[in-house]
Structure formats: structure tokens, C-alpha cells
């Protein structure tokens, strides 16, 4: 009878954690493909699109470690449930948002919910399953996470193509209801060893730091003379320095700086910063390129990323076994290097004839991405968890997760700012080569902040409209080439960090192998 009860509880744990995690996976990858439809409907600028993505990432990165600590203190199920409710309520507001401002605010609230929810999934699974069943439970959760990751871009594309981009947010509501119901069948768990104090000063400083850097870089991307943006950027950097000082002196730091004395832990987090920054910053623009410039339908743009996910599924288990035999340094050096090659292939795609050219233009680059990340992901996780003693593996994983989210948010902001400035300059160059009159050129240039959706005056002749559309497309392609080239450089810096800092043998790997830590 006890065994049957444990199995029933395990079933509800998996239902709760899988459905809740699916909300964040769908929301993240499906939204990128739906951005063009969203931009047209809400008349959003390029800056607005950056904030729609970054409002969520910024808050999530700032609060994710605090969210994990709150679960340890006040009950993992309780905090997880609160996170689900906040996330789903904010998703509803996102779905009905009448303006860009409302949508951005709701996305920030989603970040609060995500910070309470994301750390809880694996923590609840680890606390609810005995050691002999824990690995299988995590494997089941991971399988569903992978399936969701594969299907989400296609789902976003299908919804966007049918004028239903708001459905990307509404789909979270039934998932949240299922998860909350399932949690009612799961016993509460705490961490009796957790410190009683929480690092509120550190949390405040990391929020101010990430917010200041994000606002400052985006603002300077619009105008290099924006003094408010420059002040915000300087203030953000000062806050990050203050965060490091506070964490070094705190008795119960959110980020124990002593972990970074371990060479492999420092190396894996540095390569995470470069690699995931490159992926998020550059690939933010890929769906916009495919849909706005290359003429792909949104659902086709979503399906075009499928080879990436398939390569990840096939290679990750193989690389996990490779690391257990040969160590992580080789795959962590080769994988990001291959990702960099993928970025270079993207930079050379230029203007194409749409989906008909996919097989010789975008597919090779996406294949290299999948190959590189498939080689990298499992060894990176193993190296992070194995670089510290088992009792610190949980906080090590949390820190690496926070680094990943911070890299994503900062990269979208910084590379977005570069993209805005580069597109405006490239557009001016290409417009100068058209027969369009100066006044019309100035009108077009004034809306360059909308990137591929830059507006063309209705009064222009058909020939001039075609010339303007071509200039906009060429300017976007030039900008995309620059951004992906930067992505290649960051990916290769990630490979260099692995080569120099990651130790090939992890003496603590066996001690960190237990997912309960």
C-alpha cells in the first residue's frame, strides 16, 4: 500500500513539474517566432521588441536564486504554486494587452513568477523521489522538456500565421490549472539545513545592476548622446561591483564567491556567459530575418529550427557517456567552436529566394548550431555539477542557471543596441543609392527603429516602394551579418575559456552525481 501511495505521489509530482516547466519553455521559444505578428498588431518598435523579451529575462535572472532560497525556507510546493499563479495571471494580461507598455509590464511580472517557479521543478522532484527512482524521474521530466522545446517554435509560428499570437500566452492558463491541481496531491517539502536569512541586499543590487545595464545599452543604441542612458549604464556597472562586494562580505551570500576559486567552475560559468549570450543575442534576430526579410511564413520559420532540436536530442546522451570516459574539456572546446562556425554561415546567407533556398542557406548553419550545442550541453552540465563538492552542487547549478539567464538578458540588450545603430546606418547607406526623394528618405529613416518593419510612405510610386523595400531588406541583412559575426566571436571565446580553464578530470564528479544535491 505504501509503495502504491508513493507511486501515486510520484505521478502527481511529474504532472505538476512538467506542466509548469512547459509554460516557461513554450513562452520563451514560441514568442520569438511570434514577434513579427505581435509587432504589426501592437505597432511595436525594435526597442519595444527588445524590452518584451528582456523585461522577463531581467527579472528572472535577478530573482531566480532568491526564488530557490524562498522554496527552501517556506516550502517548495508553496513557493512553486505561488510562482505558477503569478506566471499564469501575468500570461493572461500579456494575452489581452492592448498596448506595448502593458505587455512589457506583464512580462516583468511573468519574470517574478518564473523566478519562483523555475528552481522548484527539479528541487521538488529530488525531494519527492528516493535515490533509486530519482534519476528516472528527472529523465522523464527532461524528455518532456525536450519535446516542448522542439514543438514550441512551430506552435508559435502556427499561431502567429493565423493571427493568434496572443495564444502563445493563453496556452499557459490550462497548463497552470493542471499543475496547481496536481500540486494539491504532493506533500510539502523544506530544506531543514537552509540558512534562516535571505540575501536581500544582494538581490536588490543585482536587480539594479542588470536593469541599469539593460536600460543604458538599449538607450545608447538609439542615441549615443542619451545622457540618461549613459547614467543608467554607469549606475548598473557600479551596482554589479557593489553586488560582488556584498556577496564577498555576506555571511549567507546568494552567490558564494568562493565557488569561483575552483578553476573548472569559473571556466564553465565564463563559457556559459559567452556561449548563451551569443545564442540569445544573435538568434533573437533570426525569426525576424526569416519572416520580415526572407519571406518565410511564421510557421515555416518555426519548423526551420527543428534540425537544431533533433541534433540536441541525439547527441546529448552520447556526449554524456563520452564525458564519463574522457572528461569534459574536449567537447567543451570543440562544441562552441562549431557553434561559431554556424554563426559565420548565418552571416553569409544574404538575401535569399525564401524557403526554396533554405536547404543551401539556413539549414547548414542551423545544423552546425545543433551539432555544436549537442556536443556542449551535457558536458557543460556535468562539468558545472562535478566541479564542486556534492553538498554545494545545488547552489552551483543555481548559480550557473542565473549566469545563463543574465547572459541571455544582457546579450539581447547589448547586441540589440548594436543592431539598432547598425541597421539605421546601413539603411541610410542603401537609401542613398535609390531614386527616392530626400523627404521620403527622411520619413523612412525616422522609422528605422522598427527594423524589418520600417514604414514606407504610401505616397511613393510603386517603383520607389520596391526600391525602399529592397533597401530595408539589404540593411537588415547587413545588420544580421554583423550580429552573427559577433556571435561567432563570443562562441569562440567560450571555446577558449573551456580550453584554458576547464580541467579534463573532475575529481569530485562522482560525489556530485547524485541529483539530490
Amino acid at each position: 500500500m505504501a509503495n502504491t501511495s508513493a507511486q501515486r505521489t510520484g505521478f502527481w509530482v511529474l504532472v505538476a513539474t512538467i506542466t509548469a516547466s512547459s509554460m516557461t519553455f513554450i513562452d520563451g521559444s514560441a514568442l520569438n517566432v511570434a514577434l513579427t505578428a505581435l509587432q504589426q498588431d501592437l505597432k511595436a518598435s525594435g526597442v519595444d521588441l527588445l524590452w518584451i523579451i528582456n523585461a522577463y529575462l531581467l527579472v528572472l535572472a535577478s530573482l531566480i536564486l532568491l526564488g530557490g532560497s524562498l522554496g527552501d525556507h517556506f516550502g517548495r510546493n508553496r513557493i512553486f504554486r505561488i510562482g505558477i499563479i503569478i506566471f499564469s495571471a501575468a500570461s493572461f494580461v500579456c494575452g489581452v494587452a492592448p498596448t506595448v507598455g502593458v505587455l512589457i509590464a506583464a512580462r516583468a511580472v511573468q519574470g517574478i513568477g518564473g523566478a519562483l517557479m523555475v528552481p522548484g521543478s527539479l528541487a521538488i522532484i529530488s525531494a519527492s523521489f528516493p535515490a533509486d527512482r530519482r534519476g528516472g524521474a528527472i529523465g522523464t521530466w527532461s524528455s518532456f522538456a525536450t519535446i516542448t522545446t522542439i514543438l514550441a517554435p512551430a506552435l508559435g509560428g502556427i499561431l502567429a500565421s493565423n493571427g493568434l499570437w496572443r495564444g502563445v500566452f493563453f496556452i499557459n492558463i490550462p497548463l497552470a490549472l493542471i499543475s496547481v491541481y496536481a500540486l494539491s496531491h504532493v506533500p510539502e517539502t523544506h530544506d531543514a539545513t537552509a540558512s534562516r536569512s535571505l540575501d536581500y541586499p544582494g538581490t536588490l543590487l543585482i536587480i539594479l545592476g542588470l536593469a541599469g545595464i539593460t536600460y543604458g545599452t538599449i538607450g545608447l543604441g538609439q542615441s549615443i548622446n542619451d545622457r540618461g542612458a549613459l547614467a543608467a549604464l554607469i549606475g548598473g556597472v557600479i551596482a554589479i561591483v557593489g553586488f560582488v562586494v556584498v556577496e564577498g562580505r555576506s555571511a549567507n551570500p546568494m552567490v558564494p564567491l568562493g565557488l569561483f576559486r575552483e578553476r573548472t567552475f569559473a571556466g564553465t560559468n565564463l563559457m556559459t556567459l559567452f556561449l548563451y549570450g551569443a545564442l540569445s543575442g544573435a538568434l533573437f534576430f533570426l525569426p525576424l530575418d526569416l519572416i520580415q526579410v526572407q519571406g518565410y511564413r511564421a510557421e515555416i520559420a518555426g519548423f526551420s529550427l527543428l534540425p537544431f532540436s533533433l541534433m540536441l536530442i541525439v547527441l546529448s546522451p552520447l556526449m554524456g557517456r563520452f564525458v564519463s570516459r574522457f572528461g569534459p574539456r574536449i567537447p567543451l572546446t570543440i562544441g562552441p567552436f562549431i557553434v561559431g562556425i554556424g554563426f559565420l554561415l548565418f552571416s553569409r546567407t544574404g538575401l535569399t529566394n525564401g524557403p526554396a533556398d533554405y536547404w543551401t542557406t539556413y539549414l547548414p548553419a542551423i545544423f552546425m548550431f545543433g551539432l555544436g550545442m549537442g556536443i556542449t550541453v551535457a558536458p557543460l552540465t556535468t562539468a558545472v555539477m562535478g566541479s564542486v563538492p556534492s553538498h554545494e552542487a545545488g547552489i552551483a547549478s543555481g548559480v550557473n542557471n542565473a549566469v545563463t539567464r543574465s547572459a541571455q538578458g544582457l546579450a539581447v540588450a547589448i547586441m540589440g543596441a548594436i543592431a539598432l545603430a547598425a541597421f539605421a546606418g546601413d539603411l541610410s547607406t542603401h537609401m542613398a543609392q535609390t531614386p527616392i526623394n530626400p523627404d521620403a528618405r527622411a520619413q523612412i529613416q525616422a522609422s528605422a527603429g522598427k527594423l524589418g518593419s520600417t514604414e514606407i510612405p504610401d505616397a511613393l510610386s510603386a517603383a520607389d516602394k520596391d526600391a525602399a523595400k529592397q533597401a530595408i531588406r539589404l540593411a537588415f541583412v547587413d545588420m544580421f551579418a554583423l550580429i552573427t559575426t559577433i556571435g561567432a566571436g563570443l562562441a569562440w571565446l567560450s571555446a577558449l575559456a573551456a580550453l584554458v580553464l576547464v580541467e579534463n578530470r573532475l575529481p569530485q564528479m562522482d560525489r556530485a552525481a547524485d541529483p539530490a544535491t
Side-chain angles (χ1 to χ4, degrees):
M1 183 70 69
N3 187 50
T4 302
S5 176
Q7 289 178 343
R8 188 179 299 114
T9 297
F11 168 78
W12 288 116
V13 167
L14 289 175
V15 171
T17 55
I18 287 170
T19 51
S21 299
S22 295
M23 291 194 293
T24 60
F25 294 137
I26 292 172
D27 198 76
S29 50
L31 180 58
N32 273 9
V33 183
L35 282 178
T36 295
L38 181 158
Q39 182 180 30
Q40 294 171 349
D41 195 10
L42 296 183
K43 310 301 182 187
S45 67
V47 171
D48 293 332
L49 296 184
L50 294 176
W51 276 112
I52 288 168
I53 299 299
N54 255 7
Y56 172 75
L57 289 175
L58 173 68
V59 177
L60 178 62
S62 302
L63 300 180
I64 193 168
L65 286 174
L66 179 64
S69 297
L70 289 172
D72 293 337
H73 280 75
F74 301 111
R76 298 184 178 101
N77 293 14
R78 177 185 300 172
I79 297 301
F80 193 60
R81 183 182 292 108
I82 292 172
I84 293 169
I85 292 171
I86 292 174
F87 190 91
S88 57
S91 295
F92 177 80
V93 176
C94 288
V96 300
T99 65
V100 170
V102 172
L103 178 57
I104 292 173
R107 286 283 289 164
V109 178
Q110 270 191 319
I112 297 174
L116 300 179
M117 191 169 62
V118 169
S121 292
L122 289 178
I124 291 173
I125 291 174
S126 295
S128 302
F129 284 88
D132 61 334
R133 296 178 54 208
R134 195 176 294 133
I138 292 176
T140 301
W141 178 88
S142 298
S143 297
F144 277 92
T146 301
I147 293 170
T148 304
T149 302
I150 291 173
L151 297 178
L155 174 64
I158 292 170
L159 290 172
S161 288
N162 290 281
L164 300 172
W165 64 264
R166 295 176 185 271
V168 171
F169 300 108
F170 287 139
I171 199 171
N172 292 332
I173 309 303
L175 292 173
L177 293 174
I178 294 170
S179 187
V180 169
Y181 175 77
L183 277 177
S184 67
H185 295 79
V186 177
E188 183 60 275
T189 62
H190 299 77
D191 183 357
T193 65
S195 169
R196 295 296 95 191
S197 62
L198 296 172
D199 186 10
Y200 293 115
T203 300
L204 177 61
L205 284 169
I206 196 66
I207 291 173
L208 293 175
L210 293 178
I213 293 173
T214 300
Y215 179 84
T217 51
I218 293 177
L220 291 173
Q222 293 177 275
S223 172
I224 196 67
N225 298 317
D226 188 334
R227 294 185 178 180
L230 179 60
L233 178 60
I234 294 172
V237 172
I238 292 173
I240 293 295
V241 173
F243 170 78
V244 174
V245 172
V246 167
E247 296 304 282
R249 296 178 177 178
S250 173
N252 298 290
M254 181 167 59
V255 178
L257 299 183
L259 291 175
F260 290 92
R261 296 191 187 99
E262 166 54 49
R263 178 176 163 184
T264 294
F265 184 78
T268 50
N269 279 282
L270 183 62
M271 64 174 297
T272 295
L273 183 71
F274 288 139
L275 183 60
Y276 282 90
L279 287 170
S280 298
L283 294 187
F284 168 83
F285 296 97
L286 177 58
L288 299 179
D289 178 48
L290 292 175
I291 298 168
Q292 296 181 350
V293 177
Q294 308 296 347
Y296 285 57
R297 286 178 57 84
E299 70 269 23
I300 296 176
F303 277 111
S304 71
L305 298 173
L306 188 59
F308 173 90
S309 301
L310 293 177
M311 292 290 291
L312 207 59
I313 293 172
V314 171
L315 289 175
S316 289
L318 298 176
M319 296 312 302
R321 290 192 287 271
F322 180 93
V323 171
S324 67
R325 294 187 61 185
F326 301 106
R329 184 189 296 157
I330 293 174
L332 291 184
T333 302
I334 293 175
F337 183 80
I338 293 174
V339 171
I341 295 174
F343 276 118
L344 280 190
L345 292 176
F346 269 131
S347 72
R348 299 177 63 86
T349 52
L351 285 179
T352 73
N353 294 315
D357 288 348
Y358 169 78
W359 309 103
T360 57
T361 54
Y362 290 92
L363 178 60
I366 291 171
F367 176 83
M368 296 301 284
F369 270 160
L371 178 61
M373 291 305 294
I375 291 173
T376 304
V377 170
L380 180 58
T381 302
T382 302
V384 170
M385 298 293 284
S387 62
V388 298
S390 59
H391 68 276
E392 294 181 324
I395 186 62
S397 177
V399 169
N400 187 251
N401 198 348
V403 169
T404 300
R405 308 291 181 170
S406 300
Q408 291 172 332
L410 291 175
V412 169
I414 295 170
M415 295 175 77
I418 294 172
L420 289 170
F423 178 80
D426 292 332
L427 181 60
S428 177
T429 299
H430 289 294
M431 288 296 298
Q433 299 171 10
T434 69
I436 300 172
N437 68 75
D439 289 340
R441 288 183 198 171
Q443 282 184 268
I444 295 170
Q445 197 70 40
S447 67
K450 293 189 175 182
L451 299 174
S453 293
T454 295
E455 296 172 356
I456 299 173
D458 291 333
L460 290 181
S461 66
D464 282 351
K465 285 182 178 179
D466 287 341
K469 288 177 183 177
Q470 185 69 357
I472 292 168
R473 295 176 71 205
L474 289 170
F476 195 102
V477 165
D478 290 345
M479 175 272 289
F480 188 62
L482 171 63
I483 294 300
T484 49
T485 300
I486 293 172
L490 291 173
W492 289 336
L493 283 175
S494 180
L496 181 62
L499 179 64
V500 173
L501 296 175
V502 174
E503 296 174 326
N504 205 41
R505 286 193 173 273
L506 299 176
Q508 300 163 27
M509 189 178 296
D510 293 338
R511 289 188 284 152
D514 185 356
T517 57

